Amino acid sequence: MSPRGEAPTTQRAPFIHPFFVMAWLALVGVAAVPRAFGEAAPVAEAPSGRLHGQPRSPAVAHKGAIASAYPLASEAGQEVLAKGGNAFDAAVAVSAALAVVEPTSSGLGGGGFYLLHRQADGFETMLDAREKAPAAASRNMYLDQAGNPIDRSSREGPLAAAIPGEPAAFEYLARKFGKLPLRASLAPAIRLAREGFPLYARVQGAIRYKRDELLRSPDAAKVFLTAEGAVPELGALIKQPDLAVTLEAIANQGAKGFYGGRVAQDMVNSVRAGGGIWTLADLASYRVIERKPLVGDYHGARIVSASPPSSGGVAVVDALNILSGYDLHAVDSATRKHLVIEAMRRAYRDRAVYLGDPDFVKMPLPQIITADYAAGQRTSIRTDKAMPSDMLPGIESEPMGTDTTHFSVLDADGNRVAGTISINLFFGSGYMPPKTGVLLNDTMDDFSIKSGTPNAFALVGNAANAIAPNKRSLSSMAPTFVETPKGLMIIGSPGGSYIISMVLLGTLNYMDGMSAADIVKYRRYHHQYLPDVVDYEKGSLTEAEISQLQAMGHQLKEGSRLWGNMEVITWDYATGKVQAASDPRGEGEGLVY
Ligand code: DON
């Protein structure tokens, strides 16, 4: 969420002994041999939801819980649970309600990742509902004749939009995992769209920020601006009658109500008229892909998180593997933070270099998420010195960030969902096809539009994340379950590239016994390999820690904003106590019922 300072451009003298670099390079070399790339995409086995001989969580939770970024969305989920729905029905209700009441962040025009755990048989899976590139997309579509990125072309307007995945996820969740028909789980969202919700400060701020783009899309302007094109007052009712009709089409016909018929035709006509490249076939062929979640282990905790095409789980597990070689409680607080930063640096570097859509690229994941690889990475970490990122072989970069949303659900049977969904930047592409009420995403910007050119989150990538027809862009979303013999945490957050470091810190804090409320409140620090800067929230580092980290060679930058909107549920098996907490940086609500 935090706009960041400019990337450091000056080369600094290396602080570290060449031996460490050589050792590290040797390991990278091992990971990069062609044979490694020839292996099938990774994914630890997870279907049983029980690895490492851990006991399964208790059969019945004393209580269910929902944490989401806005009270009306948490309440929509609760309403559906009260109607007899399970966590998966509630996930549909919460997602759809968020599409209405948090239109900046996710919606029918976007996509995301749903991590599911079914308690009856321990089955775990990830629904990949990530947007896919249209079939007519091409690698250099956002570059000019000279090969330079065309300003904002992957972030604004219909050409920036990939084919949405969220409506397909609704049908998939309801049909395969839910107990209720879509008509029931979408009812609260339809009502909210029709009756309106009172404008609140965060959405008002986003409208102000994106006003020019919204004005370019008459239907978006009609919903989010006054008749005079001004930003509405706080408390003004935002009604979305066209969105209500589109939601009703999905409620009645399932995904076909969105990917076919009148809604699809309206979207394709207007996207193409506006310079986009969607076809009806792109929409009709969209499918949710069920993928095995990424599974890791950290000091006996089972970490279950998003697998590619999100980098979220890989990077969190990569960083935790590195950290598992240290006793973080045996060192002073500055050293602890230094080690966490060094783990972040390496995990984000691997993200940039190796990851992409598993259906298009071979990735050395079996290596990246192993203990041996982490041991190799640790050989390049000194406990008293920062390692400049330009000492790691990789890619070049710069900064920035905005919106997305996460929710966590646990039902009274112990079923659970961690869902992170998005339209990418505030209001996505800002484009709303007429008569649909659907704001289209700008997720094409999550591709590496040119090797080494940073995206909106200053993330860099290479060929692994290059644009290709029907490919899904690499995400940082990290819906995650952390399970120890004592209890469970369901966690996730928006924040673009910051998601990974937030979930990493949240996991470390949970392992240290922190409550859900303290985990979401925790002041955060972040390093993403490039730019080579530790971005920290005010209050996350003490003066003493700042001096110590600077003395180690870290470049520190206090962020000008708070970032993240984390939604956490914890469940203590011994006491049955369930806690749901929403990040105090936002206005969300954690409900335990
Ligand atoms: O998939 C991703 O990683 C991004 N599209 C997420 C965007 C995001 O979290 C914006 N939030 N602050």
Side-chain angles (χ1 to χ4, degrees):
M1 294 279 286
S2 165
R4 302 161 47 95
E6 66 292 341
T9 48
T10 46
Q11 297 273 326
R12 287 180 299 142
F15 300 118
I16 45 170
H17 193 285
F19 165 77
F20 292 104
V21 181
M22 303 263 301
W24 197 88
L25 287 174
L27 267 132
V28 170
V30 168
V33 294
R35 207 155 60 83
F37 281 88
E39 293 187 12
V43 287
E45 73 275 33
S48 76
R50 270 188 290 170
L51 288 186
H52 319 306
Q54 287 195 351
R56 199 161 80 206
S57 48
V60 180
H62 282 201
K63 293 190 168 175
I66 299 173
S68 88
Y70 201 67
L72 289 168
S74 297
E75 286 152 24
Q78 197 182 14
E79 180 180 324
V80 162
L81 289 171
K83 277 187 211 162
N86 60 17
F88 312 115
D89 298 306
V92 174
V94 174
S95 305
L98 286 167
V100 178
V101 302
E102 200 197 22
T104 47
S105 307
S106 70
L108 303 184
F113 299 92
Y114 293 83
L115 191 64
L116 314 182
H117 175 101
R118 186 170 57 205
Q119 184 71 1
D121 57 359
F123 178 74
E124 274 171 353
T125 193
M126 181 184 84
L127 303 191
D128 166 3
R130 180 68 162 172
E131 300 91 318
K132 67 165 186 175
S138 55
R139 187 167 179 143
N140 298 330
M141 64 188 276
Y142 299 113
L143 304 184
D144 64 17
Q145 302 277 9
N148 297 316
I150 303 166
D151 195 27
R152 297 198 295 271
S153 59
S154 60
R155 294 177 200 166
E156 290 175 16
L159 189 63
I163 306 301
E166 187 165 302
F170 290 174
E171 180 180 311
Y172 204 97
L173 278 162
R175 188 164 39 79
K176 188 153 178 198
F177 298 98
K179 285 162 65 179
L180 299 180
L182 280 175
R183 265 191 306 285
S185 46
L186 293 178
I190 294 170
R191 195 177 63 231
L192 287 164
R194 189 152 282 135
E195 294 175 4
F197 73 92
L199 184 62
Y200 54 98
R202 183 158 55 89
V203 173
Q204 189 198 45
I207 294 175
R208 191 171 294 117
Y209 179 72
K210 281 269 187 158
R211 181 171 164 270
D212 290 350
E213 270 163 82
L214 295 171
L215 277 171
R216 281 199 283 277
S217 177
D219 275 55
K222 200 167 68 190
V223 173
F224 298 114
L225 298 169
T226 66
E228 297 73 39
V231 178
E233 298 290 316
L234 282 180
L237 265 194
I238 302 294
K239 295 188 181 179
Q240 301 174 77
D242 288 339
L243 181 57
V245 172
T246 301
L247 282 163
E248 264 166 357
I250 300 169
N252 294 327
Q253 302 164 49
K256 276 203 199 83
F258 181 89
Y259 296 93
R262 197 271 303 166
V263 173
Q265 192 68 62
D266 279 345
M267 289 195 293
V268 168
N269 289 349
S270 62
V271 161
R272 295 186 77 85
I277 53 176
W278 288 20
T279 64
L280 285 173
D282 283 328
L283 286 167
S285 62
Y286 185 86
R287 296 285 178 275
V288 164
I289 301 174
E290 227 183 287
R291 300 189 192 272
K292 287 182 184 174
L294 199 95
V295 178
D297 174 283
Y298 181 68
H299 291 313
R302 186 167 174 274
I303 315 293
V304 184
S305 190
S307 50
S310 183
S311 62
V314 179
V316 168
V317 167
D318 189 355
L320 287 171
N321 283 346
I322 295 172
L323 292 173
S324 64
Y326 301 105
D327 182 351
L328 293 177
H329 298 105
V331 292
D332 61 77
S333 69
T335 305
R336 175 185 161 116
K337 286 174 176 168
H338 161 70
L339 293 172
V340 173
I341 290 163
E342 291 300 320
M344 288 176 182
R345 184 197 308 279
R346 284 155 181 80
Y348 276 95
R349 178 265 171 199
D350 287 344
R351 174 200 196 281
V353 173
Y354 298 121
L355 303 187
D357 182 342
D359 294 342
F360 286 74
V361 287
K362 298 273 188 249
M363 295 173 278
L365 282 208
Q367 282 80 359
I368 292 179
I369 59 169
T370 60
D372 285 351
Y373 180 72
Q377 286 176 307
R378 277 193 300 275
T379 62
S380 70
I381 297 177
R382 281 181 55 164
T383 51
D384 59 343
K385 288 273 189 240
M387 180 186 198
S389 286
D390 55 24
M391 295 297 291
L392 301 180
I395 296 164
E396 299 302 310
S397 151
E398 185 197 286
M400 170 69 200
T402 0
D403 239 272
T404 287
T405 199
H406 175 85
F407 63 89
S408 297
V409 185
L410 172 71
D411 71 18
D413 292 328
N415 297 311
R416 60 197 84 134
V417 179
T420 311
I421 47 180
S422 182
I423 48 175
N424 199 24
L425 305 178
F426 279 141
F427 291 112
S429 65
Y431 183 71
M432 184 181 281
K435 296 182 284 177
T436 64
V438 177
L439 271 168
L440 301 186
N441 67 82
D442 56 354
T443 303
M444 292 298 284
D445 192 60
D446 281 340
F447 279 115
S448 170
I449 64 170
K450 181 178 177 183
S451 202
T453 295
N455 75 356
F457 300 102
L459 290 167
V460 288
N462 59 13
N465 190 30
I467 303 173
N470 303 313
K471 191 174 171 185
R472 300 176 186 214
S473 53
L474 186 63
S475 173
S476 300
M477 293 190 258
T480 299
F481 305 142
V482 177
E483 191 165 10
T484 72
K486 291 184 182 163
L488 165 77
M489 172 173 71
I490 307 173
I491 183 172
S493 179
S497 56
Y498 290 60
I499 294 171
I500 293 165
S501 55
M502 284 190 270
V503 171
L504 173 65
L505 294 174
T507 302
L508 294 173
N509 289 337
Y510 177 67
M511 297 292 291
D512 281 350
M514 222 182 244
S515 69
D518 287 341
I519 290 170
V520 295
K521 192 166 72 185
Y522 185 77
R523 299 279 172 179
R524 298 157 185 147
Y525 53 94
H526 169 86
H527 191 293
Q528 63 176 52
Y529 162 60
L530 292 173
D532 191 353
V533 178
V534 179
D535 191 0
Y536 67 98
E537 273 183 317
K538 192 176 177 56
S540 63
L541 305 176
T542 62
E543 287 304 318
E545 287 168 348
I546 289 171
S547 311
Q548 279 172 269
L549 287 168
Q550 280 169 339
M552 291 178 190
H554 289 287
Q555 203 177 120
L556 303 181
K557 181 177 171 294
E558 185 180 296
S560 54
R561 286 207 261 157
L562 304 177
W563 70 76
N565 201 359
M566 187 177 272
E567 310 296 331
V568 168
I569 291 174
T570 56
W571 175 15
D572 184 290
Y573 295 158
T575 62
K577 187 171 175 190
V578 171
Q579 299 179 318
S582 183
D583 201 316
R585 295 162 186 79
E587 51 291 281
E589 182 177 40
L591 292 174
V592 178
Y593 58 92

